[in-house]
């Protein structure tokens, strides 16, 4: 018969191991940032407080909030290969320079062929590389 003290000690060990395994993040911090929001790692445009951001859902669906325009899209990821497809953006009566910057950013995302993650940064690599910071707050 197992004593109550021995059973309590075994339960404490099991709980400690379980707690430690939950405290250590899995290899997810190297994976594609599904379910996270990230912000383009650039300086703000003069006269604007906004920075472009992507909110990526668990299935790769994306909500884009750019310098002026906004919209939706979809990421498909296989290994380090990435494909981004944007739906038409909402115009929002943008000034021409910001509208062009938004269009250029969406084009650069669409032309990216690969991606890599380094800590809180995700880079999309194509003709014009883009770097985003994962929002951790």
């Amino acid at each position: 018969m197992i004593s109550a003290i021995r059973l309590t000690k075994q339960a404490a060990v099991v709980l400690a191991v379980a707690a430690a395994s939950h405290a250590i993040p899995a290899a997810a911090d190297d994976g594609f940032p599904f379910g996270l929001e990230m912000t383009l790692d650039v300086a703000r445009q003069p006269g604007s407080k906004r920075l472009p951001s992507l909110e990526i859902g668990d299935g790769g669906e994306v909500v884009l909030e750019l310098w002026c325009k906004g919209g939706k899209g979809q990421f498909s990821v296989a290994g380090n290969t990435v494909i981004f497809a944007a739906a038409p953006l909402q115009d929002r009566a943008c000034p021409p320079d910001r509208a062009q910057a938004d269009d250029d950013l969406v084009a650069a995302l669409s032309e990216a062929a690969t991606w890599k993650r380094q800590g809180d940064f995700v880079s999309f690599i194509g003709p014009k590389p883009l770097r985003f910071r994962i929002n951790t707050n």
Side-chain angles (χ1 to χ4, degrees):
M1 185 156 70
I2 300 176
S3 72
I5 294 174
R6 185 172 173 196
L7 186 58
T8 303
K9 286 181 182 179
Q10 289 175 341
V13 169
V14 168
L15 286 174
V17 169
S21 69
H22 289 294
I24 300 168
D29 29 337
D30 292 333
F32 194 80
F34 291 112
L36 297 174
E37 184 176 345
M38 52 190 183
T39 303
L40 187 62
D41 189 31
V42 294
R44 298 187 191 284
Q45 289 187 346
S48 175
K49 294 181 182 179
R50 293 180 69 160
L51 287 174
S53 67
L54 307 175
E55 185 176 337
I56 305 171
D58 293 333
E61 64 280 359
V62 181
V63 175
L64 301 138
E65 285 300 330
L66 306 175
W67 280 287
C68 184
K69 296 180 180 183
K72 296 187 177 191
Q74 179 73 39
F75 276 110
S76 295
V77 179
N80 73 334
T81 302
V82 66
I83 297 171
F84 176 73
L89 297 176
Q90 301 166 354
D91 192 347
R92 299 183 181 167
C94 301
D97 60 331
R98 290 206 183 125
Q100 186 61 54
D102 288 347
D103 293 342
D104 293 346
L105 177 56
V106 171
L109 275 172
S110 299
E111 294 170 351
T114 60
W115 70 279
K116 70 178 179 179
R117 181 169 175 178
Q118 293 175 304
D120 288 340
F121 291 96
V122 176
S123 297
F124 295 98
I125 300 123
K128 181 180 179 187
L130 299 169
R131 182 172 133 145
F132 286 81
R133 175 186 286 275
I134 296 173
N135 300 351
T136 55
N137 53 355

